[in-house]
Amino acid sequence: MAVPPSTRPRRLLPIFLGLFQGALLLFFALFITYDEPSGQAEHTSLVANQVYSTFPFFQDIQVMLVVGLGLLLTFLPLYGFSALTHNFLLLNFSMQWALVLQGLLHHFHHGQIHLDLHKLLISEFAAVTVLISVGAILGRASPCQLLIMATCEIPIFLASEWVIVTCLGVLDVGGTITIHVFSCYFGLGVSKALFRAKQQPLHPKETPTPRSDLMSLVGTLILWVFWPSFVAVLCQPGDAQHRAILNTLLAMSASAVTTVVASSLLERDGKLSPGHLQNGSLAGGVTIGVVADMAMPPVAALALGSLSAVVCVLGFRFLTPLLGRKLTLHDQCGIHNLHGLPGILGAAASVVVVLVASKDASGSRSSQLSPVGGNASEAVEGQWGDGGAGGQALCQAAGLAVAIGASLLAGLLTGAALRLPCLARPPERLCFDDSLYFKIQDQAESPGPDSGAEEGALALKE
């Protein structure tokens, strides 16, 4: 019997995920294993130290991504279930996909990939790029489109990160360039290609309510509390990690205070904008990541936090409307203001810090762990010795250029692929609505007369 058109998009999602998880089960059965336990006391102590030193950071990052980021995306009043669930689904999907790709590229030895906590952590960092990028098209894309976007973004991110960290030797322990800048412009590229040159009008379900803004602000507070763990987890334990935590706390504290100042001054009545608070308070964490473990005075961290908040708030107030009018660029969550602009500011700051810092103090910063499992430290040390601070500063600038260029191009291509009708992009009138994907209790008890027609419209190409 033929499948009704209205049910085809509903079946596409479980089929896609079921095939993916089945293939992953087979891959794990054939190639993934744990390290064989050793009876040596030194090996046992080393493993215990790694778990005790890394797992608390790992837990903090889990809370950030699952709870904090999920709640941050609930500012759309009728899209809370979808925002939280899609964020959770994409995190797990992207982490597993990244674990497979990173294992094949960097850790495949003698037909086996030995799994440990560090490899899982690095895969979760790769998944962060997807969670940030989807903010540009939140509410206007179907789950299938988001999953295809994640499938394309993860390998491109891994290639970009390898070029930036391993080949260029860029210092970026907190992922400012490799994660925040890359994911921002990838998401904007997807948005531009997916919606083309069509100006997206303000949707009636798009305006936040006091309750949805409050939930989003709670997400901001959770992210703010745990952000130092995200920045410092890949630092070498000891002095570098301690300095990264302190610098991150100072920068985020300054960004929180400065956001209130900038938001109040920009509003005619002096009131605060919830959107400014939700994003500007986190901008300091984005900016400081690239220089968090470098030798710089505490006042520099405070200054960067304040500058990042100003840049973020000004971006929401002036740049986002301008890009919408001139370039018809749709950025639902304002990822350009929270991740793009502060990320560029952080990259510029890293160039200045590298040039100003002494050779000895700068050379000690080469102790950060490589996110791709390569020999980034050795590469950085070699570049520093051959080209000096000027050579490293050029590498920092080149890394920023690679991140922006590669992500924009890849995002445009991915966005074009997401326009395929089979991916069931929701019609405009059904965007930003949980009822399209969830069985809401009120609707289940008293379904409206047009509910069936609206569900069937999901299968129609807008």
Side-chain angles (χ1 to χ4, degrees):
M1 186 174 66
V3 179
S6 62
T7 64
R8 288 172 185 162
R10 308 298 179 112
R11 294 187 178 183
L12 183 61
L13 178 64
I15 290 173
F16 182 88
L17 287 176
L19 290 175
F20 168 80
Q21 200 64 62
L24 205 73
L25 287 170
L26 180 61
F27 181 85
F28 267 60
L30 295 175
F31 302 112
I32 302 291
T33 185
Y34 294 117
D35 288 327
E36 294 183 3
S38 174
Q40 297 180 357
E42 293 182 358
H43 180 267
T44 303
S45 177
L46 182 64
V47 173
N49 289 335
Q50 183 185 22
V51 172
Y52 295 146
S53 62
T54 304
F55 191 64
F57 288 108
F58 185 83
Q59 286 180 307
D60 291 350
I61 295 171
Q62 289 282 84
V63 175
M64 282 182 65
L65 301 182
V66 176
V67 184
L69 185 57
L71 289 176
L72 181 65
L73 300 177
T74 60
F75 64 94
L76 297 169
L78 300 179
Y79 202 70
F81 282 112
S82 301
L84 280 167
T85 305
H86 294 164
N87 179 77
F88 186 53
L89 173 62
L90 287 171
L91 172 63
N92 288 279
F93 176 87
S94 303
M95 182 187 67
Q96 294 183 54
W97 179 224
L99 191 64
V100 170
L101 294 180
Q102 285 184 328
L104 291 174
L105 292 174
H106 303 294
H107 311 294
F108 194 72
H109 304 294
H110 307 293
Q112 293 290 323
I113 299 171
H114 293 271
L115 185 63
D116 58 26
L117 185 58
H118 182 73
K119 293 183 180 67
L120 199 63
L121 174 65
I122 298 306
S123 300
E124 195 145 287
F125 267 65
V128 173
T129 60
V130 176
L131 304 185
I132 295 173
S133 296
V134 299
I137 58 174
L138 184 72
R140 293 184 186 270
S142 68
C144 290
Q145 287 178 309
L146 299 180
L147 290 173
I148 296 298
M149 179 177 171
T151 304
C152 297
E153 184 172 2
I154 291 297
I156 298 166
F157 163 74
L158 295 178
S160 170
E161 184 188 47
W162 180 79
V163 171
I164 293 171
V165 176
T166 304
C167 297
L168 296 177
V170 172
L171 299 175
D172 186 19
V173 72
T176 297
I177 298 173
T178 54
I179 294 178
H180 293 285
V181 172
F182 176 90
S183 56
C184 168
Y185 289 100
F186 185 92
L188 294 179
V190 169
S191 176
K192 181 63 179 176
L194 181 59
F195 304 123
R196 292 185 179 177
K198 182 179 179 182
Q199 179 70 39
Q200 297 295 328
L202 183 65
H203 198 281
K205 301 174 185 177
E206 195 174 352
T207 304
T209 62
R211 183 175 181 178
S212 65
D213 269 334
L214 179 61
M215 291 294 293
S216 182
L217 188 56
V218 171
T220 295
L221 299 180
I222 294 173
L223 287 169
W224 193 96
V225 169
F226 292 107
W227 203 290
S229 295
F230 183 86
V231 173
V233 66
L234 291 181
C235 291
Q236 198 77 316
D239 183 62
Q241 196 168 68
H242 183 220
R243 184 168 39 251
I245 293 173
L246 293 176
N247 283 332
T248 305
L249 286 171
L250 290 174
M252 298 198 69
S253 180
S255 66
V257 173
T258 307
T259 297
V260 175
V261 175
S263 180
S264 180
L265 291 177
L266 285 175
E267 298 296 333
R268 293 182 180 180
D269 53 6
K271 296 181 180 180
L272 303 178
S273 167
H276 295 166
L277 293 176
Q278 292 156 8
N279 295 272
S281 302
L282 304 174
V286 175
T287 300
I288 201 66
V290 69
V291 295
D293 63 336
M294 293 185 181
M296 62 180 188
V299 67
L302 284 172
L304 284 175
S306 296
L307 283 174
S308 64
V310 171
V311 166
C312 180
V313 173
L314 289 177
F316 273 103
R317 186 69 174 83
F318 300 107
L319 187 58
T320 295
L322 180 65
L323 293 177
R325 292 194 305 268
K326 300 297 183 180
L327 301 180
T328 61
L329 185 62
H330 178 75
D331 183 7
Q332 185 63 48
C333 294
I335 61 173
H336 190 225
N337 307 312
L338 176 55
H339 302 278
L341 297 178
I344 293 174
L345 176 63
S350 71
V351 173
V352 175
V353 172
V354 165
L355 292 175
V356 172
S358 65
K359 181 178 180 180
D360 292 339
S362 301
S364 66
R365 302 288 69 77
S366 301
S367 61
Q368 68 182 25
L369 304 178
S370 170
V372 295
N375 296 321
S377 297
E378 290 81 353
V380 172
E381 289 172 356
Q383 288 179 359
W384 202 280
D386 297 337
Q392 184 60 41
L394 288 176
C395 289
Q396 297 295 116
L400 176 64
V402 170
I404 295 177
S407 58
L408 267 178
L409 177 60
L412 289 170
L413 295 175
T414 302
L418 296 185
R419 295 185 63 85
L420 292 174
C422 63
L423 297 180
R425 175 184 162 193
E428 181 66 21
R429 65 188 182 89
L430 299 181
C431 291
F432 311 112
D433 198 330
D434 285 328
S435 62
L436 194 58
Y437 307 110
F438 285 87
K439 185 177 180 181
I440 307 299
Q441 188 63 29
D442 291 342
Q443 293 179 345
E445 294 175 354
S446 56
D450 297 330
S451 59
E454 288 194 348
E455 290 181 358
L458 177 62
L460 300 177
K461 185 174 181 291
E462 184 180 2

